[in-house]
Amino acid sequence: GKSTTIKMLSGILCPDSGSILVGGYVPYKQRKEYVKNIGVVFGQKSQLQWDLPVLDSYELLKAIYAIPETTYQKNLNRFVEMLEMGGFLNQPVRQLSLGQRMRADIVAALLHSPQIVFFDEPTIGVDVVGKEVIRKFIRELNEEDGVTMIFTTHDMQDIEKTCNRLIIIDKGAKMYDGSLQGIRDRYGTTRQL
């Protein structure tokens, strides 16, 4: 249900029941206006063009989102530096490691300066070093730019190292909304050896 939830929040899927309102938009009804304000990264599905260099995919996204040149260059330079991507911008996507591709996909989702970014398993299959670079980037962007980031993960270290707030949803109902320490205090158990 995690990926399905992200797809509904991003407007790709329409919910079977209930309603969704994100940033004042009903995602599946107001899709064209809505997507200008969001970014989406699916850990298992790239939005980059497989046979093109990463930079060419970014130029395509610049045109699709009508990103002003100054905004595009500022975001591109900043994100490439933060995610340590300078060495592979001109490589075709198909030649990238999974960690490199994930970093490239994250930049692709952020070039148009969205207010909200949805990450579906952004560190899945990424090596330890790559995970840390991604986690640091997520923290910094949230703190410095106030970008709201919502992501799903099985990796508790993703949560511990990036999240101030944790929401647990079960069958569409919110089961918990609070801090990581709060979930530990409420549901944790102490092991004694």
Side-chain angles (χ1 to χ4, degrees):
K2 294 182 304 302
S3 295
T4 301
T5 299
I6 293 293
K7 287 176 182 174
M8 287 188 292
L9 290 170
S10 62
I12 295 170
L13 293 177
C14 175
D16 293 337
S17 62
S19 61
I20 296 176
L21 187 68
V22 181
Y25 293 96
V26 177
Y28 67 94
K29 285 185 178 177
Q30 299 166 295
R31 186 136 170 78
K32 283 188 180 181
E33 304 88 38
Y34 179 59
V35 296
K36 294 175 187 174
N37 300 298
I38 68 165
V40 183
V41 177
F42 289 103
Q44 298 299 316
K45 193 150 186 97
S46 181
Q47 64 178 312
L48 303 170
Q49 302 300 310
W50 192 246
D51 290 318
L52 295 180
V54 173
L55 207 47
D56 288 359
S57 285
Y58 292 167
E59 290 288 331
L60 179 60
L61 290 167
K62 175 182 152 195
I64 290 170
Y65 283 99
I67 304 169
E69 182 66 28
T70 54
T71 302
Y72 172 76
Q73 286 300 327
K74 181 181 136 234
N75 286 345
L76 179 65
N77 293 336
R78 179 178 175 216
F79 300 153
V80 164
E81 182 180 333
M82 289 173 77
L83 287 168
E84 304 169 12
M85 295 173 48
F88 60 86
L89 279 178
N90 292 308
Q91 282 185 290
V93 173
R94 64 180 152 69
Q95 293 178 357
L96 301 181
S97 70
L98 180 57
Q100 290 171 328
R101 186 182 57 77
M102 284 308 305
R103 287 183 276 164
D105 267 315
I106 289 169
V107 171
L110 293 164
L111 284 172
H112 63 289
S113 303
Q115 299 167 353
I116 301 169
V117 182
F118 299 102
F119 292 105
D120 188 24
E121 300 278 0
T123 64
I124 193 166
V126 177
D127 66 35
V128 175
V129 174
K131 283 184 181 194
E132 201 49 47
V133 169
I134 291 169
R135 290 171 182 150
K136 181 178 181 226
F137 176 79
I138 289 170
R139 278 192 316 271
E140 286 182 22
L141 200 63
N142 174 258
E143 291 168 5
E144 292 175 13
D145 296 10
V147 175
T148 299
M149 301 195 188
I150 300 170
F151 67 94
T152 66
T153 184
H154 282 103
D155 189 331
M156 281 304 291
Q157 285 200 0
D158 281 350
I159 294 167
E160 291 172 349
K161 293 185 176 191
T162 60
C163 297
N164 296 323
R165 181 177 174 197
L166 176 67
I167 300 172
I168 299 174
I169 300 170
D170 185 29
K171 297 180 181 137
K174 188 169 28 173
M175 304 304 291
Y176 177 79
D177 183 351
S179 69
L180 183 57
Q181 188 57 49
I183 194 95
R184 286 181 177 139
D185 294 345
R186 188 169 173 184
Y187 297 108
T189 59
T190 305
R191 291 174 127 186
Q192 292 183 343
L193 299 173

